[in-house]
Amino acid sequence: MLKSMEHLRLGISFFKQGCRAAGLPVLHIFHAGAAGAFAPQSGFVTPLPWLTSVPDVRFDKHTHNAFTDTGLDLWLRRRSIGKLIISGIRTEQCCETTARVGADIGYAVDFVTEATLTFPMTHAVTAVTFSARDIKTRTELVLADRFARIVDVNTCLAGLSGHA
């Protein structure tokens, strides 16, 4: 698994290049809120500095998943897209929730944990701190074979060869 922001940057860059080479659209989805750090006017709702390529389309979401209020489902269905490949930030929050909702509404989902990012979290009651690796492992556990196929970047890209 990728262990640092630099590895994440390299993994996502390699991943996006592979999707583009296969002729697949690349979408950016950002969380946008009414106030605070997620408000568009805050200046923080932007791609990470190394995410420089222009997406085929950008959606701004106001919930944890990418479907509820974005028009994403309609956009995908109008293009007869039935499979999602999910990567991004935060593994257990936006990425996992999007995978669950996507599977529930009929999409096949590849979850590329290697190309997701999260941060350690401390349980409010037990004070146990879960590492990013712990959180990613738990996310894979609850998604696998129920909501998504868990794949690494190379396995996902190898499966795209027939889509170009």
Side-chain angles (χ1 to χ4, degrees), residues 43-102:
F44 295 118
V45 186
T46 61
L48 293 168
W50 48 263
L51 194 60
T52 57
S53 67
V54 176
D56 292 289
V57 66
R58 173 184 165 154
F59 293 95
D60 287 342
K61 63 185 185 66
H62 304 92
T63 62
H64 293 298
N65 77 82
F67 288 100
T68 297
D69 64 353
T70 61
L72 173 62
D73 184 43
L74 180 62
W75 190 91
L76 294 167
R77 292 187 192 280
R78 283 186 173 164
R79 288 157 182 78
S80 300
I81 297 171
K83 182 176 186 175
L84 308 176
I85 303 170
I86 296 178
S87 68
I89 303 171
R90 290 192 56 172
T91 308
E92 79 292 349
Q93 192 167 303
C94 300
C95 298
E96 178 181 333
T97 307
T98 297
R100 287 173 179 263
V101 173

Side-chain angles (χ1 to χ4, degrees), residues 1-3 91-92 111 113-121 129-141 150:
M1 287 297 185
L2 301 175
K3 294 178 176 51
T91 308
E92 79 292 349
F111 195 89
T113 314
E114 184 177 29
T116 68
L117 176 68
T118 195
F119 309 95
M121 296 171 67
T129 297
F130 295 86
S131 69
R133 174 72 268 149
D134 293 337
I135 294 167
K136 285 185 171 196
T137 298
R138 177 237 160 251
T139 298
E140 290 179 344
L141 173 69
I150 308 301

